[in-house]
Amino acid sequence: MNADGCDDEPHDGGGSTAPSQDELLDKLENVSLSPTEHQRIKDLVNRDLTEIKGYDRRYLSVGAGGTTGAATRRKIVYELLDGRTDPPAVAFRLEDYGLTPDEIRLWARAFDILCGRATHIVAVIEDFDGGYVWEMGLLFAPPYREKAWILKRKYDDPQTEREKYENGMAASHVELLLTGPRCFGWADTDDLRDSVSEIP
């Protein structure tokens, strides 16, 4: 734990339940799903989507998973959004739908469907060292860009800031998401909670 109340440990972008960034980038390009895989996606997503239909605000939470400090901070955001009552709101995550690392071919399709169901897509970003970087790339697609809200961790030291967000796989369009009017910086957990209040 550092002075700002956050840890700087490396995280895995999803723990044992999420594929690595390299796996995602290697296997998500030009994926053609079989009829069985299409049915798996439909069954997975449709099973629970009826539960979120009745909410005025539907927040898809994006970011680090697993058991790291970054994942814990993302959960704080998830819980704050899920607890909103005016208007009624619900938060959900890709990992809520039971996809395993063995089903990597299905991740992008499921994420695409969930983005379509969300009214707001909220990404909690602390670095570009995780499997969720591909999600950030998908958020640049025009239909989703208008729904995307970014909570980006700030670092006091410029060198640390560069190191955390330097990643050749994170294309320039991801950088644009991090510099627009829907991106809010935070340095510690209190800042993060305050930043959530900026999201309608």
Side-chain angles (χ1 to χ4, degrees):
M1 183 85 59
N2 61 26
D4 67 10
C6 294
D7 54 35
D8 285 326
E9 87 287 356
H11 60 75
D12 59 8
S16 60
T17 61
S20 72
Q21 177 183 333
D22 289 340
E23 288 175 313
L24 285 161
L25 294 171
D26 287 344
K27 297 183 181 181
L28 285 179
E29 293 182 4
N30 303 316
V31 171
S32 177
L33 300 182
S34 70
T36 302
E37 289 171 324
H38 277 294
Q39 189 61 48
R40 167 80 168 128
I41 289 288
K42 284 174 63 177
D43 291 345
L44 259 175
V45 179
N46 290 335
R47 181 189 67 219
D48 294 320
L49 282 182
T50 52
E51 296 178 11
I52 70 172
K53 265 180 147 179
Y55 290 90
D56 295 335
R57 299 285 168 92
R58 298 178 300 280
Y59 297 99
L60 174 59
S61 172
V62 176
T67 57
T68 64
T72 299
R73 289 183 285 279
R74 176 186 170 213
K75 187 174 181 186
I76 290 170
V77 172
Y78 170 86
E79 290 173 348
L80 287 171
L81 295 171
D82 195 56
R84 291 181 168 184
T85 57
D86 186 21
V90 64
F92 53 101
R93 303 166 294 183
L94 180 59
E95 58 264 37
D96 293 340
Y97 294 86
L99 290 170
T100 70
D102 293 336
E103 297 174 302
I104 190 171
R105 290 162 48 84
L106 309 184
W107 283 66
R109 296 295 186 266
F111 184 71
D112 184 53
I113 292 169
L114 294 178
C115 284
R117 299 298 194 275
T119 59
H120 299 69
I121 306 165
V122 181
V124 184
I125 303 299
E126 300 199 24
D127 54 43
F128 279 164
D129 183 26
Y132 59 81
V133 172
W134 68 275
E135 295 173 341
M136 294 289 291
L138 292 177
L139 292 188
F140 192 74
Y144 305 143
R145 200 180 323 155
E146 298 305 312
K147 300 179 179 184
W149 298 81
I150 313 297
L151 303 177
K152 178 188 176 187
R153 184 173 174 186
K154 300 179 298 187
Y155 296 89
D156 291 335
D157 175 38
Q159 178 63 28
T160 302
E161 181 90 9
R162 279 191 298 275
E163 289 171 0
K164 292 290 186 179
Y165 294 107
E166 195 171 67
N167 182 330
M169 304 309 287
S172 59
H173 55 257
V174 174
E175 293 291 342
L176 291 176
L177 285 173
L178 301 182
T179 56
R182 294 184 181 193
C183 180
F184 301 99
W186 56 276
D188 56 32
T189 304
D190 288 338
D191 278 352
L192 180 59
R193 291 176 182 276
D194 290 343
S195 294
V196 174
S197 68
E198 301 287 345
I199 299 170

